[in-house]
Amino acid sequence: MAKPLYIKNFIPNSICSFEYFNKLLENHPKENIHIIDNKRKKYDFSGETKNNQTYIIEDTVKSTMLKPIFFNIRDTLLNKFSELKNCIRWDAHFYGGFSSKSSTFNLHEDSSYTFILQCEGVCKWILPEHHEKILTTGDLLFLPKGVKHACIPMSKRISISFAFWEK
């Protein structure tokens, strides 16, 4: 089984600003936007954003707003990680929180190979069987499928999760 890998300064600067993230929130299909606020639920667009919520934008591959650089990153990951050779689909999920108090998922594992790219802010990643890592803008964390992990926001933040599935 592959081990988690941390790459400091994978990219030199942010590729997703809060301005871009807010445009995605406004223009992405509403059924593909969720929040974490004690539990995961559909985003209610009638209210104001709350500092204790994390916003998740999913199913972005078909989005006309997705920048070419996200496809370039996907291609780089596919070329550099042999674990991905049998993957048949991918997506980029955007996670944004407007304070260090934004809710996140509890400790869990994914069925995908996942790469976390820190775009804005700082997050602490807990990987109980491996290590803890602090991600800052430009850092990348590779989580092989089945690795338990949790994120603790340490500031206002945006992260992109590049997920690759074999089935």
Side-chain angles (χ1 to χ4, degrees):
M1 179 175 172
K3 292 184 179 182
L5 176 65
Y6 168 73
I7 302 173
K8 181 90 177 140
N9 297 320
F10 178 74
I11 56 171
N13 50 36
S14 178
I15 58 169
C16 181
S17 66
F18 280 97
E19 179 182 353
Y20 178 77
F21 185 79
N22 283 324
K23 285 181 182 175
L24 283 173
L25 279 177
E26 291 171 13
N27 296 303
H28 199 65
K30 304 310 181 215
E31 66 272 12
N32 294 328
I33 300 177
H34 299 84
I35 61 168
I36 307 170
D37 184 3
N38 299 320
K39 61 180 182 177
R40 184 185 183 123
K41 57 186 178 183
K42 291 284 186 184
Y43 178 32
D44 175 6
F45 290 87
S46 63
E48 294 182 30
T49 59
K50 297 178 185 172
N51 284 338
N52 65 336
Q53 296 175 328
T54 292
Y55 299 84
I56 307 168
I57 303 171
E58 299 177 315
D59 291 332
T60 61
V61 172
K62 297 174 190 160
S63 173
T64 58
M65 290 186 63
L66 205 57
K67 298 177 186 179
I69 192 165
F70 299 120
F71 295 95
N72 294 342
I73 290 171
R74 178 216 44 204
D75 293 344
T76 298
L77 297 173
L78 286 168
N79 287 326
K80 294 202 179 280
F81 288 85
S82 61
E83 294 88 347
L84 306 180
K85 69 180 179 229
N86 294 322
C87 292
I88 57 172
R89 66 184 178 97
W90 77 287
D91 197 11
H93 300 166
F94 292 73
Y95 293 78
F98 295 93
S99 84
S100 62
K101 299 188 183 337
S102 59
S103 298
T104 63
F105 293 123
N106 293 326
L107 186 66
H108 67 284
E109 58 188 68
D110 296 327
S111 62
S112 63
Y113 295 100
T114 304
F115 296 83
I116 306 297
L117 179 60
Q118 191 69 34
C119 293
E120 293 286 340
V122 179
C123 290
K124 180 178 184 178
W125 284 84
I126 311 295
L127 291 82
E129 298 173 14
H130 301 278
H131 49 66
E132 294 181 1
K133 283 293 180 192
I134 304 291
L135 269 64
T136 60
T137 301
D139 295 348
L140 183 78
L141 180 63
F142 168 53
L143 300 168
K145 62 182 178 177
V147 170
K148 291 184 179 174
H149 59 278
C151 173
I152 301 171
M154 300 177 74
S155 70
K156 177 179 174 179
R157 61 97 177 209
I158 298 173
S159 303
I160 302 174
S161 166
F162 290 88
F164 295 86
W165 293 272
E166 292 177 316
K167 299 176 188 177

